[in-house]
Amino acid sequence: MKALLLENIHADATPILRQAGLDVDRRSGALGADDLLGALDGVQVLGIRSNTKVTSAVIQAMPDSVQAVGCFCIGTNQVDLEAAAQRGIAVFNAPYSNTRSVVELVLCEIVALSRRLLDRSTSTHAGLWDKSAEGSHEVRGRTLGIIGYGNIGSQLSVVAEAFGMHILYYDLADKLALGNAKACASMNDLLAQSDFVTLHVDGRPGNAGLFGADQFAAMKDGAMFLNLSRGFVTDPAALADALGSGHLAGAAVDVFPVEPKGKGDPFVSPLQGVPNVILTPHVGGSTQEAQVDIGHFVATKLADYLATGSTVMSVNLPVVATPPMQGRRVTHIHENVPGVLAQLNAVLSAHQANIAFQALSTAGGIGYVVTDVTQAAPGLTAELAEVPGTIRVRLL
């Protein structure tokens, strides 16, 4: 079996996958659709980060050998999850592993913006001694508005409060306030009160264009804006206008609507050259600690799926937690229609396959059955594959 790991996935993922019986091909950059499909011949596991786009067209053209995709990052919007499920391809990610890294960078940038450290550093490097308190402020006592109160937003809330900041948050879902944080009834309510506004929303399509000229205009005069979530949720040109007019006093942006595919590729943004603006190349979760954790977490989930059929933490298949294997294990991914389990068991009975364990889980239009049998006669998987609605069958 083979694994193809792209985009400098941490080397610690490699021994985990090798122990699971895979030959590992590690590559430094992302691949476009044609190059990606050309590299997948005989590959069971594809590992990517954020710049390799696994679209519906790519998934439809993938060889049947591909069984799982590991997103070695938080987000999965670079993969068409429904299309993957329809091909019986499990997708895993690391939703928690780099949370702390992003939180620390947000706090670092809040302090840097408040003290205008980037401008001070640039002028000092240029030989200009400009010792002054003008435009520099403490963050203690300031109000931080967090849009998106998930794993990152909520942890940021706790750590920023320890800095002495007042915390407001807004989320579409009801979320329990941590510490002394207060929920806002609307985004505009948060914007009107916050000295800093930071986005921590997910990559769902509905968040595209979430923050534009109207939202920047609704922020307080002299407020500062941060986005370390998704590039397509903001309008960089509108942010540049709000900064250029003096309405906003600073910004920190780590993600962009269009990002280069590889290290050293050219990058252009309307935010380049704007004073008191920190631009970073999508490194919010890029610490050694986070990359090690992500490598371990996702590689382990991929190895477990191949070896045991476990879909715990899969983002697109129904969840089945598998016990230790008893005999041989058959996994069956199918369309979620009535009668499939009965037909599967009829085939098993015809093959005199005694069932030692069986679990069925469904989610949306997909069903997933894991069955342990004490014996598996020749031709069993071929017959199971003929059951109407079958997407993929594996015998472990």
Short mmCIF file of all heavy atoms in Angstrom, two decimals, residues 208-270:
data_model
loop_
_atom_site.label_atom_id
_atom_site.label_comp_id
_atom_site.label_asym_id
_atom_site.label_seq_id
_atom_site.Cartn_x
_atom_site.Cartn_y
_atom_site.Cartn_z
N ALA A 208 -18.48 32.72 3.07
CA ALA A 208 -17.79 33.50 2.04
C ALA A 208 -18.33 34.93 2.04
O ALA A 208 -19.54 35.16 2.04
CB ALA A 208 -17.99 32.85 0.67
N GLY A 209 -17.42 35.90 2.03
CA GLY A 209 -17.83 37.30 2.02
C GLY A 209 -18.48 37.77 3.30
O GLY A 209 -19.20 38.79 3.30
N LEU A 210 -18.25 37.07 4.39
CA LEU A 210 -18.87 37.41 5.66
C LEU A 210 -18.54 38.83 6.11
O LEU A 210 -19.37 39.54 6.68
CB LEU A 210 -18.42 36.41 6.73
CG LEU A 210 -18.83 36.68 8.18
CD1 LEU A 210 -20.32 36.44 8.35
CD2 LEU A 210 -18.05 35.79 9.15
N PHE A 211 -17.30 39.26 5.87
CA PHE A 211 -16.83 40.53 6.41
C PHE A 211 -16.32 41.40 5.27
O PHE A 211 -15.31 41.11 4.64
CB PHE A 211 -15.69 40.28 7.42
CG PHE A 211 -15.74 41.18 8.61
CD1 PHE A 211 -16.40 40.80 9.76
CD2 PHE A 211 -15.13 42.42 8.59
CE1 PHE A 211 -16.45 41.62 10.87
CE2 PHE A 211 -15.16 43.26 9.68
CZ PHE A 211 -15.83 42.86 10.83
N GLY A 212 -17.05 42.48 4.99
CA GLY A 212 -16.69 43.39 3.92
C GLY A 212 -16.80 44.84 4.33
O GLY A 212 -16.70 45.19 5.51
N ALA A 213 -17.03 45.73 3.36
CA ALA A 213 -17.01 47.17 3.60
C ALA A 213 -18.01 47.58 4.67
O ALA A 213 -17.71 48.43 5.52
CB ALA A 213 -17.30 47.90 2.29
N ASP A 214 -19.22 47.00 4.66
CA ASP A 214 -20.24 47.39 5.65
C ASP A 214 -19.79 47.03 7.07
O ASP A 214 -20.03 47.80 8.01
CB ASP A 214 -21.57 46.69 5.33
CG ASP A 214 -22.22 47.21 4.06
OD1 ASP A 214 -21.82 48.32 3.61
OD2 ASP A 214 -23.10 46.53 3.53
N GLN A 215 -19.18 45.86 7.22
CA GLN A 215 -18.74 45.45 8.56
C GLN A 215 -17.56 46.28 9.04
O GLN A 215 -17.50 46.66 10.21
CB GLN A 215 -18.36 43.96 8.54
CG GLN A 215 -19.55 43.02 8.43
CD GLN A 215 -20.20 43.04 7.06
OE1 GLN A 215 -19.51 43.15 6.04
NE2 GLN A 215 -21.52 42.95 7.01
N PHE A 216 -16.61 46.60 8.15
CA PHE A 216 -15.50 47.47 8.55
C PHE A 216 -16.02 48.85 8.96
O PHE A 216 -15.54 49.44 9.93
CB PHE A 216 -14.48 47.59 7.42
CG PHE A 216 -13.72 46.33 7.14
CD1 PHE A 216 -13.71 45.75 5.88
CD2 PHE A 216 -13.01 45.70 8.15
CE1 PHE A 216 -13.01 44.59 5.64
CE2 PHE A 216 -12.30 44.52 7.93
CZ PHE A 216 -12.31 43.97 6.66
N ALA A 217 -17.03 49.34 8.24
CA ALA A 217 -17.59 50.65 8.57
C ALA A 217 -18.29 50.63 9.92
O ALA A 217 -18.35 51.66 10.62
CB ALA A 217 -18.57 51.08 7.48
N ALA A 218 -18.82 49.46 10.31
CA ALA A 218 -19.54 49.35 11.58
C ALA A 218 -18.61 49.25 12.78
O ALA A 218 -19.06 49.36 13.93
CB ALA A 218 -20.48 48.14 11.55
N MET A 219 -17.32 49.04 12.55
CA MET A 219 -16.36 48.96 13.65
C MET A 219 -16.09 50.35 14.23
O MET A 219 -16.30 51.37 13.56
CB MET A 219 -15.05 48.33 13.17
CG MET A 219 -15.17 46.85 12.84
SD MET A 219 -13.66 46.13 12.10
CE MET A 219 -12.48 46.35 13.44
N LYS A 220 -15.62 50.38 15.46
CA LYS A 220 -15.29 51.65 16.13
C LYS A 220 -14.16 52.35 15.39
O LYS A 220 -13.26 51.72 14.83
CB LYS A 220 -14.86 51.39 17.57
CG LYS A 220 -15.94 50.88 18.49
CD LYS A 220 -15.37 50.47 19.84
CE LYS A 220 -14.68 51.60 20.57
NZ LYS A 220 -14.23 51.19 21.92
N ASP A 221 -14.17 53.69 15.41
CA ASP A 221 -13.02 54.44 14.90
C ASP A 221 -11.78 54.06 15.71
O ASP A 221 -11.81 54.03 16.94
CB ASP A 221 -13.27 55.95 15.03
CG ASP A 221 -14.22 56.47 13.97
OD1 ASP A 221 -14.33 55.83 12.90
OD2 ASP A 221 -14.86 57.51 14.19
N GLY A 222 -10.70 53.78 14.99
CA GLY A 222 -9.45 53.43 15.66
C GLY A 222 -9.34 51.99 16.10
O GLY A 222 -8.34 51.62 16.72
N ALA A 223 -10.34 51.18 15.78
CA ALA A 223 -10.29 49.76 16.14
C ALA A 223 -9.32 49.02 15.23
O ALA A 223 -8.84 49.57 14.22
CB ALA A 223 -11.68 49.14 16.05
N MET A 224 -9.02 47.78 15.59
CA MET A 224 -8.09 46.97 14.81
C MET A 224 -8.72 45.62 14.49
O MET A 224 -9.53 45.11 15.26
CB MET A 224 -6.78 46.79 15.57
CG MET A 224 -6.10 48.11 15.89
SD MET A 224 -4.45 47.90 16.56
CE MET A 224 -4.07 49.60 17.04
N PHE A 225 -8.33 45.08 13.34
CA PHE A 225 -8.99 43.89 12.78
C PHE A 225 -7.98 42.78 12.59
O PHE A 225 -6.86 43.01 12.12
CB PHE A 225 -9.64 44.24 11.45
CG PHE A 225 -10.21 43.06 10.71
CD1 PHE A 225 -11.44 42.53 11.08
CD2 PHE A 225 -9.52 42.47 9.65
CE1 PHE A 225 -11.97 41.43 10.40
CE2 PHE A 225 -10.04 41.38 8.98
CZ PHE A 225 -11.27 40.86 9.35
N LEU A 226 -8.37 41.54 12.93
CA LEU A 226 -7.51 40.37 12.72
C LEU A 226 -8.30 39.25 12.06
O LEU A 226 -9.46 39.00 12.41
CB LEU A 226 -6.95 39.85 14.04
CG LEU A 226 -6.10 40.82 14.87
CD1 LEU A 226 -6.96 41.53 15.91
CD2 LEU A 226 -4.97 40.07 15.58
N ASN A 227 -7.67 38.58 11.10
CA ASN A 227 -8.27 37.39 10.49
C ASN A 227 -7.24 36.30 10.37
O ASN A 227 -6.29 36.39 9.59
CB ASN A 227 -8.84 37.71 9.11
CG ASN A 227 -9.51 36.47 8.48
OD1 ASN A 227 -9.88 35.53 9.17
ND2 ASN A 227 -9.65 36.48 7.17
N LEU A 228 -7.41 35.25 11.19
CA LEU A 228 -6.56 34.06 11.12
C LEU A 228 -7.42 32.83 10.90
O LEU A 228 -7.10 31.73 11.35
CB LEU A 228 -5.73 33.91 12.40
CG LEU A 228 -4.59 34.92 12.59
CD1 LEU A 228 -5.08 36.20 13.22
CD2 LEU A 228 -3.47 34.33 13.43
N SER A 229 -8.55 33.00 10.19
CA SER A 229 -9.46 31.87 9.99
C SER A 229 -9.45 31.39 8.55
O SER A 229 -8.77 30.42 8.22
CB SER A 229 -10.87 32.25 10.44
OG SER A 229 -11.36 33.35 9.70
N ARG A 230 -10.18 32.07 7.66
CA ARG A 230 -10.26 31.69 6.26
C ARG A 230 -10.13 32.95 5.40
O ARG A 230 -10.72 33.98 5.71
CB ARG A 230 -11.59 31.01 5.93
CG ARG A 230 -11.87 29.75 6.75
CD ARG A 230 -10.96 28.60 6.35
NE ARG A 230 -11.34 27.36 7.01
CZ ARG A 230 -10.95 26.99 8.21
NH1 ARG A 230 -10.15 27.79 8.91
NH2 ARG A 230 -11.32 25.85 8.73
N GLY A 231 -9.40 32.86 4.30
CA GLY A 231 -9.16 34.03 3.48
C GLY A 231 -10.40 34.54 2.78
O GLY A 231 -10.58 35.75 2.61
N PHE A 232 -11.30 33.63 2.38
CA PHE A 232 -12.44 34.06 1.57
C PHE A 232 -13.56 34.71 2.37
O PHE A 232 -14.56 35.14 1.80
CB PHE A 232 -13.00 32.88 0.76
CG PHE A 232 -13.60 31.78 1.59
CD1 PHE A 232 -14.87 31.88 2.12
CD2 PHE A 232 -12.88 30.61 1.83
CE1 PHE A 232 -15.43 30.87 2.87
CE2 PHE A 232 -13.43 29.58 2.57
CZ PHE A 232 -14.71 29.70 3.09
N VAL A 233 -13.41 34.80 3.69
CA VAL A 233 -14.48 35.42 4.48
C VAL A 233 -14.35 36.94 4.53
O VAL A 233 -15.26 37.62 4.99
CB VAL A 233 -14.53 34.85 5.92
CG1 VAL A 233 -14.70 33.35 5.90
CG2 VAL A 233 -13.31 35.24 6.73
N THR A 234 -13.23 37.50 4.08
CA THR A 234 -13.04 38.96 4.13
C THR A 234 -12.72 39.50 2.74
O THR A 234 -12.32 38.77 1.83
CB THR A 234 -11.90 39.35 5.07
OG1 THR A 234 -10.66 38.83 4.56
CG2 THR A 234 -12.12 38.82 6.47
N ASP A 235 -12.86 40.81 2.61
CA ASP A 235 -12.53 41.54 1.39
C ASP A 235 -11.28 42.37 1.66
O ASP A 235 -11.36 43.42 2.31
CB ASP A 235 -13.70 42.44 0.99
CG ASP A 235 -13.45 43.22 -0.29
OD1 ASP A 235 -12.30 43.23 -0.77
OD2 ASP A 235 -14.40 43.83 -0.80
N PRO A 236 -10.10 41.93 1.21
CA PRO A 236 -8.86 42.67 1.50
C PRO A 236 -8.88 44.10 0.98
O PRO A 236 -8.33 45.00 1.63
CB PRO A 236 -7.79 41.84 0.79
CG PRO A 236 -8.36 40.48 0.66
CD PRO A 236 -9.83 40.69 0.46
N ALA A 237 -9.50 44.34 -0.17
CA ALA A 237 -9.55 45.70 -0.71
C ALA A 237 -10.36 46.61 0.20
O ALA A 237 -9.99 47.77 0.43
CB ALA A 237 -10.13 45.69 -2.12
N ALA A 238 -11.48 46.10 0.72
CA ALA A 238 -12.30 46.90 1.64
C ALA A 238 -11.54 47.18 2.93
O ALA A 238 -11.66 48.28 3.50
CB ALA A 238 -13.61 46.18 1.93
N LEU A 239 -10.78 46.21 3.40
CA LEU A 239 -9.96 46.42 4.60
C LEU A 239 -8.89 47.47 4.32
O LEU A 239 -8.65 48.36 5.16
CB LEU A 239 -9.32 45.10 5.03
CG LEU A 239 -8.34 45.18 6.21
CD1 LEU A 239 -8.98 45.80 7.44
CD2 LEU A 239 -7.79 43.79 6.52
N ALA A 240 -8.25 47.42 3.16
CA ALA A 240 -7.24 48.42 2.80
C ALA A 240 -7.85 49.82 2.76
O ALA A 240 -7.23 50.79 3.21
CB ALA A 240 -6.61 48.07 1.45
N ASP A 241 -9.08 49.92 2.25
CA ASP A 241 -9.75 51.22 2.22
C ASP A 241 -10.02 51.74 3.62
O ASP A 241 -9.83 52.92 3.91
CB ASP A 241 -11.07 51.11 1.45
CG ASP A 241 -10.86 50.93 -0.05
OD1 ASP A 241 -9.74 51.22 -0.54
OD2 ASP A 241 -11.81 50.49 -0.73
N ALA A 242 -10.49 50.84 4.52
CA ALA A 242 -10.81 51.26 5.90
C ALA A 242 -9.55 51.69 6.64
O ALA A 242 -9.58 52.61 7.47
CB ALA A 242 -11.50 50.11 6.64
N LEU A 243 -8.43 51.04 6.33
CA LEU A 243 -7.15 51.44 6.94
C LEU A 243 -6.63 52.73 6.33
O LEU A 243 -6.16 53.63 7.04
CB LEU A 243 -6.13 50.32 6.75
CG LEU A 243 -6.39 49.03 7.53
CD1 LEU A 243 -5.61 47.87 6.90
CD2 LEU A 243 -6.00 49.20 8.99
N GLY A 244 -6.73 52.86 5.03
CA GLY A 244 -6.23 54.05 4.35
C GLY A 244 -6.98 55.31 4.73
O GLY A 244 -6.39 56.40 4.78
N SER A 245 -8.27 55.17 5.03
CA SER A 245 -9.07 56.34 5.43
C SER A 245 -8.81 56.76 6.86
O SER A 245 -9.23 57.84 7.28
CB SER A 245 -10.56 56.01 5.27
OG SER A 245 -10.98 55.07 6.24
N GLY A 246 -8.13 55.90 7.64
CA GLY A 246 -7.89 56.18 9.05
C GLY A 246 -8.98 55.70 9.96
O GLY A 246 -8.89 55.84 11.19
N HIS A 247 -10.04 55.12 9.39
CA HIS A 247 -11.12 54.60 10.24
C HIS A 247 -10.62 53.48 11.14
O HIS A 247 -10.94 53.44 12.33
CB HIS A 247 -12.27 54.12 9.36
CG HIS A 247 -13.36 53.43 10.12
ND1 HIS A 247 -14.04 54.01 11.17
CD2 HIS A 247 -13.90 52.17 9.98
CE1 HIS A 247 -14.94 53.16 11.66
NE2 HIS A 247 -14.86 52.04 10.95
N LEU A 248 -9.81 52.56 10.58
CA LEU A 248 -9.19 51.51 11.38
C LEU A 248 -7.72 51.85 11.58
O LEU A 248 -7.07 52.44 10.71
CB LEU A 248 -9.32 50.15 10.69
CG LEU A 248 -10.74 49.63 10.46
CD1 LEU A 248 -10.70 48.23 9.88
CD2 LEU A 248 -11.57 49.65 11.74
N ALA A 249 -7.20 51.43 12.74
CA ALA A 249 -5.83 51.81 13.11
C ALA A 249 -4.81 50.73 12.83
O ALA A 249 -3.60 50.98 12.93
CB ALA A 249 -5.77 52.19 14.59
N GLY A 250 -5.25 49.54 12.47
CA GLY A 250 -4.29 48.46 12.22
C GLY A 250 -5.00 47.17 11.92
O GLY A 250 -6.21 47.03 12.11
N ALA A 251 -4.23 46.21 11.40
CA ALA A 251 -4.81 44.91 11.06
C ALA A 251 -3.71 43.85 11.05
O ALA A 251 -2.53 44.15 10.86
CB ALA A 251 -5.50 44.95 9.70
N ALA A 252 -4.13 42.61 11.26
CA ALA A 252 -3.24 41.46 11.13
C ALA A 252 -4.00 40.40 10.33
O ALA A 252 -5.10 40.01 10.71
CB ALA A 252 -2.84 40.91 12.50
N VAL A 253 -3.41 39.98 9.22
CA VAL A 253 -4.08 39.04 8.32
C VAL A 253 -3.12 37.89 8.02
O VAL A 253 -1.99 38.11 7.59
CB VAL A 253 -4.51 39.74 7.01
CG1 VAL A 253 -5.20 38.74 6.08
CG2 VAL A 253 -5.44 40.92 7.31
N ASP A 254 -3.60 36.67 8.23
CA ASP A 254 -2.79 35.47 8.03
C ASP A 254 -3.28 34.62 6.87
O ASP A 254 -2.57 33.74 6.40
CB ASP A 254 -2.79 34.64 9.32
CG ASP A 254 -1.87 33.42 9.25
OD1 ASP A 254 -0.69 33.60 8.92
OD2 ASP A 254 -2.35 32.30 9.51
N VAL A 255 -4.50 34.91 6.39
CA VAL A 255 -5.11 34.10 5.34
C VAL A 255 -5.69 35.01 4.27
O VAL A 255 -6.15 36.11 4.57
CB VAL A 255 -6.21 33.18 5.92
CG1 VAL A 255 -5.61 32.06 6.75
CG2 VAL A 255 -7.19 33.99 6.79
N PHE A 256 -5.70 34.53 3.03
CA PHE A 256 -6.05 35.38 1.91
C PHE A 256 -6.94 34.62 0.92
O PHE A 256 -6.86 33.39 0.84
CB PHE A 256 -4.78 35.87 1.21
CG PHE A 256 -3.83 36.57 2.15
CD1 PHE A 256 -2.88 35.84 2.88
CD2 PHE A 256 -3.91 37.93 2.36
CE1 PHE A 256 -2.03 36.46 3.76
CE2 PHE A 256 -3.06 38.57 3.25
CZ PHE A 256 -2.12 37.84 3.95
N PRO A 257 -7.79 35.35 0.17
CA PRO A 257 -8.69 34.67 -0.76
C PRO A 257 -7.95 33.81 -1.79
O PRO A 257 -8.41 32.73 -2.17
CB PRO A 257 -9.42 35.83 -1.45
CG PRO A 257 -9.35 36.95 -0.48
CD PRO A 257 -8.03 36.81 0.23
N VAL A 258 -6.80 34.29 -2.25
CA VAL A 258 -5.96 33.53 -3.17
C VAL A 258 -4.56 33.47 -2.57
O VAL A 258 -3.96 34.50 -2.29
CB VAL A 258 -5.91 34.17 -4.56
CG1 VAL A 258 -4.99 33.38 -5.48
CG2 VAL A 258 -7.31 34.27 -5.17
N GLU A 259 -4.06 32.25 -2.38
CA GLU A 259 -2.74 32.07 -1.78
C GLU A 259 -1.84 31.29 -2.72
O GLU A 259 -2.30 30.40 -3.45
CB GLU A 259 -2.86 31.32 -0.44
CG GLU A 259 -3.66 32.09 0.60
CD GLU A 259 -3.74 31.35 1.93
OE1 GLU A 259 -3.24 30.21 2.02
OE2 GLU A 259 -4.31 31.92 2.89
N PRO A 260 -0.54 31.62 -2.74
CA PRO A 260 0.41 30.86 -3.57
C PRO A 260 0.41 29.39 -3.19
O PRO A 260 0.17 29.04 -2.03
CB PRO A 260 1.75 31.53 -3.25
CG PRO A 260 1.40 32.89 -2.76
CD PRO A 260 0.11 32.73 -2.02
N LYS A 261 0.73 28.54 -4.16
CA LYS A 261 0.72 27.10 -3.90
C LYS A 261 1.96 26.63 -3.15
O LYS A 261 1.91 25.66 -2.41
CB LYS A 261 0.59 26.32 -5.21
CG LYS A 261 -0.81 26.36 -5.80
CD LYS A 261 -0.93 25.40 -6.97
CE LYS A 261 -2.37 25.37 -7.49
NZ LYS A 261 -3.30 24.83 -6.49
N GLY A 262 3.10 27.32 -3.37
CA GLY A 262 4.33 26.82 -2.77
C GLY A 262 5.20 27.92 -2.23
O GLY A 262 5.04 29.11 -2.53
N LYS A 263 6.15 27.52 -1.39
CA LYS A 263 7.11 28.44 -0.81
C LYS A 263 7.91 29.13 -1.91
O LYS A 263 8.41 28.48 -2.83
CB LYS A 263 8.05 27.68 0.13
CG LYS A 263 9.05 28.54 0.87
CD LYS A 263 9.87 27.69 1.83
CE LYS A 263 10.87 28.54 2.61
NZ LYS A 263 11.68 27.71 3.54
N GLY A 264 8.03 30.46 -1.80
CA GLY A 264 8.79 31.23 -2.77
C GLY A 264 7.97 31.73 -3.94
O GLY A 264 8.48 32.54 -4.73
N ASP A 265 6.73 31.29 -4.10
CA ASP A 265 5.88 31.79 -5.18
C ASP A 265 5.49 33.24 -4.90
O ASP A 265 5.37 33.64 -3.74
CB ASP A 265 4.62 30.93 -5.32
CG ASP A 265 4.91 29.55 -5.87
OD1 ASP A 265 6.03 29.35 -6.37
OD2 ASP A 265 4.03 28.68 -5.79
N PRO A 266 5.27 34.04 -5.93
CA PRO A 266 4.92 35.46 -5.72
C PRO A 266 3.56 35.63 -5.04
O PRO A 266 2.66 34.80 -5.20
CB PRO A 266 4.91 36.03 -7.14
CG PRO A 266 4.71 34.86 -8.03
CD PRO A 266 5.37 33.70 -7.36
N PHE A 267 3.43 36.70 -4.30
CA PHE A 267 2.21 37.01 -3.56
C PHE A 267 1.90 38.49 -3.70
O PHE A 267 2.79 39.33 -3.55
CB PHE A 267 2.37 36.64 -2.08
CG PHE A 267 1.26 37.16 -1.20
CD1 PHE A 267 0.00 36.59 -1.24
CD2 PHE A 267 1.48 38.24 -0.35
CE1 PHE A 267 -1.02 37.08 -0.44
CE2 PHE A 267 0.47 38.72 0.45
CZ PHE A 267 -0.79 38.14 0.42
N VAL A 268 0.66 38.83 -3.98
CA VAL A 268 0.24 40.22 -4.13
C VAL A 268 -1.05 40.43 -3.35
O VAL A 268 -1.97 39.61 -3.40
CB VAL A 268 0.02 40.59 -5.62
CG1 VAL A 268 -0.49 42.02 -5.74
CG2 VAL A 268 1.30 40.41 -6.42
N SER A 269 -1.11 41.55 -2.61
CA SER A 269 -2.31 41.89 -1.84
C SER A 269 -2.43 43.41 -1.75
O SER A 269 -1.40 44.10 -1.64
CB SER A 269 -2.25 41.29 -0.43
OG SER A 269 -3.29 41.81 0.39
N PRO A 270 -3.66 43.95 -1.76
CA PRO A 270 -3.83 45.39 -1.57
C PRO A 270 -3.41 45.87 -0.19
O PRO A 270 -3.33 47.07 0.05
CB PRO A 270 -5.34 45.61 -1.80
CG PRO A 270 -5.96 44.27 -1.58
CD PRO A 270 -4.94 43.27 -2.02
#
